[in-house]
């Protein structure tokens, strides 16, 4: 927002979808997102009033620039930030007394089992699609190995197992990436016993550059620094401070992310919280 106000933002359209346009900044190479109003707040994202962005003729490579608090995509879209409110990802503390969290976690896990999307981290039935079932099996095996390594304090092993997840699975942001995004978020919770693994998350995210697509890679970079979408933050707040009904309501919003991305992220969050609760590291 400061770059736009100072007429200092310059970039080009990296990719475009029905409700989002991703812009790559010339200065730092990061991806920024112009999102329709049906998308929640997130890192490097400006949410505009439009319901969708398709039909504007925006194309990959279009020039994006700022001029006096306005962001332009060629002559196809002009966005004013004059009345925009800043949003930051502020994760809740891992509670000193986690009994409420444990109860909410049981409800959330059961809901994902019932309503989560199959085929990614949630295993698909072999009778439905053999390929999907095999991918899910590998995701489950590799994520279990990662969690075991973390529980034993095996940083090198955790790194190796995490890297085998990157780029694995269906979706624009592969399931393994989305799972790691959820797990990285738990590592970054204030007071989390897993916070000692924050440098490991950053290393894994940096190494992901050549293993997955730029959109997914940027999500991992941000999650490794504790920056995630508002719906994920609200889910964590409801798990730590709310009741099961609130947790399920917020979980539904996360499960609606993408095709299987929401389920994969939710499973990363749940497994990370379970890892803390089960091992009582504090």
């Amino acid at each position: 927002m400061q770059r736009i106000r100072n007429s200092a933002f310059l970039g080009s359209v990296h990719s475009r979808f029905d409700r989002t346009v991703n812009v790559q900044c010339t200065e730092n190479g990061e991806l920024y997102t112009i999102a329709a109003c049906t998308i929640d707040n997130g890192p490097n994202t400006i949410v505009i009033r439009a319901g969708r962005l398709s039909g504007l003729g925006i194309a990959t490579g279009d020039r994006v620039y700022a001029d006096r608090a306005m962001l332009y995509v060629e002559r196809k879209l002009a966005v004013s930030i004059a009345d925009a409110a800043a949003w930051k990802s502020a994760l809740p503390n891992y509670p000193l007394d986690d009994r409420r969290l444990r109860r909410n976690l049981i409800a959330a896990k059961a809901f994902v089992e019932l309503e989560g999307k199959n085929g990614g981290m949630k295993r698909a039935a072999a009778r439905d699609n053999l390929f999907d079932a095999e991918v899910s099996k590998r995701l489950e095996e590799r994520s279990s190995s990662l969690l075991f390594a973390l529980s034993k304090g095996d940083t090198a092993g955790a790194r190796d197992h995490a890297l085998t997840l990157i780029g694995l699975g269906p979706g624009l942001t592969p399931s393994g990436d989305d799972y790691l995004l959820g797990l990285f978020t738990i590592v970054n919770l204030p007071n989390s016993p897993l916070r000692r693994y924050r440098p490991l998350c950053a290393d894994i995210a940096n190494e992901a550059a050549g293993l997955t697509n730029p959109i997914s890679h940027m999500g991992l970079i941000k999650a490794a620094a504790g920056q995630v979408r508002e719906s994920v933050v609200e889910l964590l707040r409801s798990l730590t401070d709310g009741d099961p009904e609130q947790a399920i309501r917020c979980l539904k919003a996360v499960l609606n992310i993408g095709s299987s991305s929401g389920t994969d992220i939710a499973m990363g969050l749940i497994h990370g919280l379970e890892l803390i609760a089960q091992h009582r590291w504090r």
Side-chain angles (χ1 to χ4, degrees):
M1 289 176 66
Q2 196 59 48
R3 283 192 180 95
I4 296 172
R5 288 195 180 98
N6 294 338
S7 302
F9 186 92
L10 181 64
S12 60
V13 173
H14 172 274
S15 48
R16 69 213 180 15
F17 304 94
D18 183 44
R19 298 186 296 165
T20 58
V21 172
N22 295 311
V23 177
Q24 187 160 36
C25 178
T26 302
E27 179 184 351
N28 59 19
E30 287 201 17
L31 290 182
Y32 294 81
T33 301
I34 303 171
C37 58
T38 51
I39 302 290
D40 55 327
N41 287 311
N44 286 17
T45 299
I46 182 166
V47 179
I48 65 176
R49 291 190 178 94
R52 59 180 52 195
L53 299 176
S54 58
L56 298 177
I58 294 173
T60 301
D62 279 354
R63 181 171 177 259
V64 182
Y65 61 96
D67 184 27
R68 290 172 292 184
M70 295 286 293
L71 184 69
Y72 296 92
V73 181
E74 297 286 359
R75 294 182 177 273
K76 303 170 183 178
L77 177 65
V79 178
S80 170
I81 66 162
D83 298 321
W87 176 86
K88 290 184 179 180
S89 175
L91 298 175
N93 292 345
Y94 188 87
L96 293 175
D97 181 349
D98 63 2
R99 285 176 293 183
R100 180 196 297 265
L101 170 60
R102 289 167 181 266
R103 289 194 297 269
N104 290 338
L105 203 53
I106 292 171
K109 187 175 182 179
F111 190 83
V112 172
E113 285 297 320
L114 286 173
E115 301 294 337
K117 178 70 179 294
N118 291 336
M121 291 301 307
K122 185 183 176 189
R123 182 179 289 198
R127 65 180 181 273
D128 295 334
N129 186 305
L130 289 174
F131 179 79
D132 287 349
E134 182 61 27
V135 170
S136 292
K137 179 183 176 182
R138 295 189 182 189
L139 286 164
E140 182 179 351
E141 292 172 347
R142 295 175 186 186
S143 60
S144 295
S145 296
L146 167 59
L147 294 172
F148 182 77
L150 290 172
S151 73
K152 297 301 181 183
D154 180 6
T155 302
R159 172 189 170 279
D160 291 342
H161 292 306
L163 290 175
T164 68
L165 284 167
I166 295 172
L168 179 62
L172 173 64
T173 53
S175 294
D177 300 20
D178 288 327
Y179 178 84
L180 289 174
L181 187 151
L183 187 59
F184 288 179
T185 305
I186 303 305
V187 171
N188 276 277
L189 291 182
N191 297 334
S192 169
L194 298 178
R195 278 179 73 86
R196 59 180 168 173
Y197 291 119
R198 291 180 73 198
L200 173 64
C201 293
D203 289 343
I204 293 168
N206 287 329
E207 290 198 49
L211 302 174
T212 190
N213 65 73
I215 296 173
S216 193
H217 177 231
M218 184 55 61
L220 288 171
I221 289 288
K222 293 299 180 182
Q227 299 178 33
V228 289
R229 293 172 64 159
E230 186 174 21
S231 55
V232 174
V233 175
E234 291 305 310
L235 172 58
L236 289 170
R237 290 193 184 282
S238 69
L239 288 170
T240 55
D241 297 326
D243 55 37
E245 290 75 20
Q246 291 171 319
I248 297 304
R249 186 167 60 250
C250 293
L251 177 57
K252 288 178 180 179
V254 172
L255 294 181
N256 283 331
I257 297 173
S259 178
S260 66
S261 287
T263 299
D264 300 327
I265 292 169
M267 292 186 70
L269 296 170
I270 290 169
H271 287 176
L273 290 170
E274 285 184 328
L275 184 64
I276 297 173
Q278 291 168 0
H279 290 272
R280 295 183 177 274
W281 288 345
R282 289 180 295 160

